C-alpha cells in the first residue's frame, strides 16, 4: 500500500468514516425534508460544511505527524469552513446567492476529487471511488446552477443527493483503506519475521 498511496489520500481511515457519516446524515435530512424554503435549510448546509472542516482540520494534525499531505488537509479544511461560514452569513439572502454558493462548492469539490483520483493512487478501487464521486459532484454542480427555475428547495435536494453519494463513497473508501492498512501491517510483520529468521540463520552458519 505504501507504494500506491501518497499524501492526502493516505489519511487515517477514520477521517473518511467521520466525513461519510456527516454527509450521509445531512444528505438524508435534505432529501427527505418537509421544509419548503431554502432559507431554513441553508444554515443546515453551513453547519454540515463546518463539521467537515473540523474533521479535516483534525486530519491535518494527523498528517503533520507523518509529514505528508498536511498542507492539502489544511486547504480543504479552509475551503469547507469558508463556504460553511459564507452560507451562514448569507442565509437570509435570495436564492441566487444560495444557488451560487452551493453550486460553486459542489463543482470545486468534485474537481478536487477527480484530481485526487488521478494524481494520488494507482490502486483501481481507490481511483474508481474518487473519480466517480468527483464526476458526480461536477454533474450535480452543473444541475444546481441550472435549477433556479425549479421550486425553492430542489437545488438543495440535488446537493443532498450529491452528499449521499459523497458519504457512501467515503464510507466505502474508509473501509477499503482500513483493510489495506491491516494487510500492509501484516505484510511488514511477515517481512520482519523473515528478515529476523534469515539473520539468525546466517549467524548460525558463521
Amino acid at each position: 500500500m505504501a507504494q500506491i498511496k501518497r499524501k492526502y489520500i493516505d489519511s487515517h481511515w477514520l477521517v473518511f468514516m467521520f466525513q461519510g457519516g456527516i454527509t450521509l446524515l445531512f444528505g438524508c435530512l435534505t432529501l427527505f425534508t418537509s421544509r419548503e424554503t431554502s432559507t431554513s435549510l441553508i444554515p443546515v448546509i453551513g453547519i454540515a460544511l463546518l463539521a467537515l472542516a473540523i474533521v479535516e482540520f483534525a486530519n491535518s494534525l494527523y498528517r503533520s505527524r507523518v509529514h505528508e499531505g498536511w498542507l492539502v488537509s489544511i486547504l480543504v479544511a479552509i475551503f469547507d469552513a469558508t463556504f460553511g461560514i459564507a452560507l451562514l452569513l448569507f442565509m437570509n439572502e435570495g436564492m441566487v446567492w444560495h444557488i451560487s454558493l452551493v453550486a460553486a462548492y459542489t463543482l470545486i469539490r468534485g474537481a478536487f476529487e477527480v484530481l485526487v483520483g488521478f494524481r494520488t493512487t494507482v490502486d483501481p478501487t481507490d481511483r474508481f471511488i474518487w473519480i466517480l464521486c468527483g464526476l458526480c459532484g461536477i454533474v450535480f454542480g452543473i444541475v444546481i446552477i441550472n435549477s433556479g427555475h425549479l421550486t425553492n428547495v430542489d437545488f438543495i435536494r440535488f446537493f443532498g443527493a450529491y452528499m449521499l453519494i459523497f458519504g457512501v463513497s467515503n464510507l466505502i473508501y474508509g473501509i477499503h483503506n482500513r483493510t489495506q492498512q491491516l494487510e500492509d501491517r501484516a505484510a511488514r510483520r511477515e517481512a520482519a519475521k523473515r528478515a529476523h529468521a534469515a539473520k539468525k540463520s546466517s549467524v548460525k552458519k558463521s
Side-chain angles (χ1 to χ4, degrees):
M1 184 184 71
Q3 288 76 26
I4 61 175
K5 300 180 79 171
R6 304 185 299 276
K7 301 180 180 179
Y8 177 77
I9 202 171
D10 200 23
S11 300
H12 197 281
W13 64 277
L14 279 175
V15 171
F16 301 106
M17 297 300 287
F18 279 122
Q19 288 181 338
I22 291 169
T23 51
L24 202 62
L25 179 63
F26 167 79
C28 290
L29 177 64
T30 53
L31 274 178
F32 303 110
T33 183
S34 59
R35 298 180 184 181
E36 297 298 330
T37 62
S38 61
T39 305
S40 61
L41 290 171
I42 285 297
V44 179
I45 300 178
I47 292 171
L49 296 187
L50 288 177
L52 290 178
I54 292 172
V55 174
E56 200 60 67
F57 179 73
N59 184 35
S60 70
L61 297 178
Y62 166 77
R63 299 307 303 163
S64 66
R65 293 177 56 190
V66 295
H67 307 291
E68 278 190 349
W70 62 271
L71 180 58
V72 177
S73 292
I74 284 287
L75 293 176
V76 174
I78 293 173
F79 171 74
D80 287 338
T82 299
F83 275 90
I85 293 171
L87 286 167
L88 291 176
L89 290 176
F90 293 105
M91 63 182 178
N92 293 320
E93 299 295 333
M95 275 185 62
V96 174
W97 276 97
H98 298 164
I99 290 176
S100 299
L101 287 170
V102 172
Y105 176 86
T106 309
L107 283 169
I108 297 171
R109 184 92 198 199
F112 169 73
E113 289 157 8
V114 171
L115 183 64
V116 167
F118 277 115
R119 295 292 300 274
T120 62
T121 182
V122 296
D123 182 273
T125 302
D126 294 341
R127 176 166 287 186
F128 176 78
I129 292 171
W130 283 91
I131 293 176
L132 177 63
C133 187
L135 290 176
C136 288
I138 293 172
V139 170
F140 274 104
I142 295 172
V143 170
I144 291 169
I145 290 175
N146 293 282
S147 64
H149 64 286
L150 301 177
T151 58
N152 208 1
V153 296
D154 277 347
F155 78 94
I156 293 182
R157 290 199 172 98
F158 290 138
F159 183 68
Y162 164 65
M163 286 285 101
L164 273 181
I165 295 171
F166 181 80
V168 172
S169 298
N170 272 268
L171 292 176
I172 293 173
Y173 182 76
I175 295 170
H176 185 244
N177 203 17
R178 173 61 172 167
T179 301
Q180 287 185 316
Q181 287 178 0
L182 292 175
E183 291 174 351
D184 191 43
R185 290 175 188 171
R188 286 200 299 266
R189 285 196 298 266
E190 186 62 30
K193 287 180 182 178
R194 287 198 297 267
H196 181 68
K199 185 177 180 180
K200 287 179 65 177
S201 177
S202 63
V203 169
K204 288 181 181 179
K205 289 180 180 178
S206 62

